[in-house]
Amino acid sequence: MNSTQCHINNLHFIFIPLMAPGHLLPMVDMAKLLARRKVKVTIITTPLNSIQFKSSIDREIQLGSQIQILHIKFPNVESGIPEGCESVDTLPSMDLMSNFYIALCKLKNPLENIFENLRPVPSCVISDKHISCVAEIAMKFKVPRIIFDGTNCFHLLCNHNLRNLKGSIPNEGKFVVPGMPDQIELRKCQLPGLFNPGENKKLNSFREEVREIEKYSYGIVVNSFEELEEEYVKEYKRVSGYKVWCVGPVSLCNNDKLDKVERGKKKINSNDESENKILNWLDLWPSNSVIYVCLGSLNRATPQQLKEVGLGLEATKRPFIWVLRGAYGKDEMDKWLIEEGFEERVKDRGFLIKGWAPQVLILSHKAIGVFLTHCGWNSTLEGICGGVPLVTFPMFAEQFYNEKVVVQVVKNGVSLGAQSAVHLGEEEKCVVVKKENVRDAIEKVMGEDEENEKIRESARKYGDLAKEALEEGGSSYHNMTQLIEDIMHVQGLC
Ligand code: UDP
């Protein structure tokens, strides 16, 4: 890297994350990793979004990274979004999703103004694939645009192959996805919105636009690691012809305790004792004994569905941490939790977090024995990094694909048995899993027989491989070097 180092100081990478925790947090982690490699980095986001990671960036700067945050105003009013909502998880209703996309398109001019004044001039822009207006800006300023998709190569390959099938995906029953390295069976109703377009025409045409513009990017960075899905990485590269850099799992860059505590928190309060309470509570339990349940940052599972999850946890008779999102169905849930006695019944072994949980911190505690996850890709990877088996409860987007990665490819978990996606905004439709499913799936990974031990062994193995991938000499470390060198070549810096 010596000749590389001579010119690396001239590199300037721009990060433009989508405003949703599952996209923003990994892009900030990726930006930190890149800046630790002596590259200048600028993250562009809105003021309310930057609160979640500003102190962590300040710590990186103190350690020698050249990284800055630039603010852009979120066009709420012009897009019909209430003041104070600058991210998908804070939208009062998922009906506002198309307004959110309108707001993203309106970022073009302000972003262009920022680009005019950026010094040193940008060498590369890494933007979320949903912020498609960046394509024109990158073209205007002659900067390679790399997209961040937020998922993995299994997902990218699966979508690629399913698009080729077009109308011939059967409406009923299971079908085998063609061209996958394993025999992957899915149902149409489990596929992302792209293959199950709803009534919202604006949303559908937005999806098409993203897809179209995706094609003209310089390459894709993926928050995954080669050892996890080797065949899928190879095959996706082969069929797509794209440059693909797997540089994850990026959440592992948060080795400082404060980084883990603050990751994604919307209010950083130095007197907040809540994390210590969680850690002290976890310290009370033996290794691998606690169930951790969190269904992500966006889900709006109904109180009816959540009660089944709670009753299932109660039936396991094991200790658990259960993260309940703050707002949705709050009154009904509180009534059930408090007045109808759930909290009282489980008070000796249940820890409820009503709001944001420091997930990466919790998953790194040795007391955690299983993670019941909605299979958002970040959560799935964070569980893999924690070396714990997963119980999978996919709901929407590409989460059924991620369940397959867990259950069939990595074999570090079991399914709760959800049969069909419940798309955002459609949660009232059904209760997907029952308390017996929850209890039985948890017993399958925590119980004593040989099959269960195999799952736990695989979880430990991939936890170790994840850490090795990110260390110097590991595959993701190497891929980040390749990305840096690629951009240096393009920019004539070596
Ligand atoms: N997360 C967290 N605390 C919470 C909920 C979510 O730290 O209470 C983080 C989680 O660690 C992950 C991200 O938010 O990094 C959620 O992304 P994911 O892809 O798992 O799911 P999504 O929320 O996009 O459905």
Side-chain angles (χ1 to χ4, degrees):
M1 261 300 260
N2 278 349
S3 65
T4 308
Q5 237 122 35
C6 303
H7 304 287
I8 206 164
N9 294 337
N10 298 335
L11 277 183
H12 186 190
F13 274 68
I14 315 302
F15 279 73
I16 310 178
L18 180 72
M19 302 81 172
H23 294 247
L24 177 80
L25 299 178
M27 275 192 82
V28 169
D29 287 342
M30 202 180 281
K32 290 191 326 195
L33 282 168
L34 198 63
R36 288 178 195 172
R37 306 288 290 272
K38 307 285 173 237
V39 171
K40 287 191 188 69
V41 172
T42 296
I43 304 171
I44 306 179
T45 192
T46 74
L48 285 181
N49 280 290
S50 71
I51 294 174
Q52 298 164 58
F53 60 89
K54 169 147 189 341
S55 17
S56 130
I57 296 298
D58 289 343
R59 282 190 289 278
E60 295 293 316
I61 294 170
Q62 271 166 16
L63 293 170
S65 285
Q66 295 193 61
I67 181 164
Q68 64 169 344
I69 304 170
L70 292 182
H71 283 151
I72 186 167
K73 187 186 167 310
F74 193 71
N76 303 62
V77 183
E78 312 84 299
S79 317
I81 295 174
E83 282 285 357
C85 296
E86 297 184 357
S87 61
V88 178
D89 56 315
T90 56
L91 289 176
S93 155
M94 281 301 144
D95 295 342
L96 288 172
M97 247 349 260
S98 42
N99 300 60
F100 197 84
Y101 286 132
I102 293 171
L104 294 181
C105 298
K106 290 187 194 295
L107 291 177
K108 182 168 172 273
N109 288 341
L111 278 174
E112 209 169 304
N113 291 340
I114 290 188
F115 265 70
E116 297 274 3
N117 299 309
L118 276 171
R119 294 296 176 271
V121 292
S123 326
C124 176
V125 53
I126 302 187
S127 67
D128 195 284
K129 72 168 183 184
H130 294 97
I131 311 187
S132 38
C133 66
V134 176
E136 266 183 66
I137 300 173
M139 223 146 30
K140 177 171 171 192
F141 290 90
K142 300 195 172 51
V143 181
R145 177 181 60 102
I146 292 175
I147 54 171
F148 173 71
D149 166 273
T151 63
N152 46 58
C153 289
F154 180 105
H155 162 253
L156 292 166
L157 179 64
C158 204
N159 272 2
H160 177 94
N161 293 345
L162 290 178
R163 273 183 204 129
N164 289 343
L165 270 183
K166 297 222 173 75
S168 53
I169 300 173
N171 285 325
E172 301 296 330
K174 289 182 183 169
F175 68 96
V176 177
V177 182
M180 300 293 273
D182 296 284
Q183 166 99 356
I184 302 297
E185 287 183 357
L186 284 161
R187 296 169 195 275
K188 185 163 189 250
C189 61
Q190 299 175 326
L191 303 181
L194 187 63
F195 302 103
N196 286 302
E199 299 300 307
N200 191 331
K201 290 208 173 70
K202 269 194 216 148
L203 215 55
N204 295 338
S205 75
F206 181 81
R207 280 197 189 109
E208 281 310 313
E209 188 187 310
V210 168
R211 234 191 84 186
E212 190 52 35
I213 288 175
E214 202 175 283
K215 286 188 205 152
Y216 306 106
S217 62
Y218 183 71
I220 307 186
V221 277
V222 182
N223 183 16
S224 182
F225 58 106
E226 289 175 356
E227 293 77 1
L228 184 78
E229 46 161 358
E230 203 170 354
E231 296 306 316
Y232 293 87
V233 179
K234 276 193 209 145
E235 184 60 7
Y236 180 64
K237 281 184 182 169
R238 190 185 70 79
V239 296
S240 70
Y242 285 146
K243 288 178 186 253
V244 179
W245 297 276
C246 292
V247 296
V250 294
S251 67
L252 285 175
C253 74
N254 298 294
N255 21 37
D256 182 288
K257 185 180 163 203
L258 267 181
D259 286 345
K260 291 193 186 108
V261 166
E262 293 175 359
R263 188 170 183 267
K265 247 177 131 175
K266 300 226 191 274
K267 276 191 206 130
I268 310 288
N269 178 352
S270 52
N271 297 320
D272 194 345
E273 275 300 297
S274 53
E275 283 79 19
N276 282 338
K277 264 197 206 148
I278 299 171
L279 293 179
N280 292 341
W281 185 87
L282 279 169
D283 286 343
L284 298 173
W285 300 100
S287 296
N288 306 315
S289 65
V290 176
I291 306 160
Y292 170 63
V293 184
C294 178
L295 302 177
S297 68
L298 301 179
N299 91 83
R300 296 179 189 224
T302 56
Q304 232 183 334
Q305 176 62 84
L306 291 175
K307 287 177 200 172
E308 292 293 329
V309 172
L311 292 171
L313 289 173
E314 187 178 357
T316 64
K317 302 192 170 50
R318 295 178 185 272
F320 63 85
I321 292 183
W322 183 15
V323 185
L324 287 152
R325 288 193 71 224
Y328 189 73
K330 184 175 182 310
D331 293 345
E332 189 181 335
M333 269 319 273
D334 276 348
K335 185 160 176 276
W336 182 74
L337 292 169
I338 302 163
E339 290 169 34
E340 294 176 28
F342 179 83
E343 286 193 9
E344 181 60 26
R345 295 200 303 277
V346 299
K347 68 172 189 273
D348 295 336
R349 62 188 174 83
F351 192 112
L352 267 56
I353 301 177
K354 296 176 183 172
W356 190 257
Q359 178 158 301
V360 168
L361 182 76
I362 293 173
L363 283 170
S364 60
H365 196 286
K366 63 180 181 354
I368 298 297
V370 61
F371 178 15
L372 192 163
T373 171
H374 73 310
C375 296
W377 182 240
N378 296 285
S379 296
T380 305
L381 258 189
E382 289 156 17
I384 290 171
C385 293
V388 291
L390 306 178
V391 167
T392 58
F393 180 10
M395 295 183 196
F396 57 89
E398 86 301 345
Q399 294 163 9
F400 281 86
Y401 297 172
N402 299 340
E403 174 175 73
K404 296 286 177 197
V405 174
V406 170
V407 175
Q408 250 185 285
V409 181
V410 182
K411 301 189 177 69
N412 65 332
V414 297
S415 164
L416 266 192
Q419 293 299 318
S420 107
V422 181
H423 296 289
L424 282 173
E426 296 178 356
E427 292 80 0
E428 299 297 339
K429 278 188 183 166
C430 51
V431 170
V432 183
V433 297
K434 295 288 198 185
K435 64 179 181 196
E436 293 78 16
N437 303 116
V438 175
R439 181 199 57 203
D440 296 349
I442 288 172
E443 283 316 306
K444 263 193 199 158
V445 287
M446 293 191 99
E448 287 311 317
D449 78 33
E450 206 176 304
E451 251 337 272
N452 308 337
E453 182 45 34
K454 271 196 201 150
I455 293 176
R456 291 194 290 263
E457 201 180 298
S458 182
R460 285 192 293 272
K461 176 179 137 193
Y462 279 94
D464 291 341
L465 288 173
K467 289 174 196 103
E468 282 166 24
L470 215 73
E471 281 164 11
E472 197 165 341
S475 61
S476 293
Y477 187 93
H478 171 76
N479 288 336
M480 191 161 274
T481 308
Q482 300 253 296
L483 165 65
I484 294 170
E485 292 187 348
D486 189 305
I487 298 302
M488 289 184 64
H489 276 289
V490 172
Q491 297 296 4
L493 296 170
C494 63

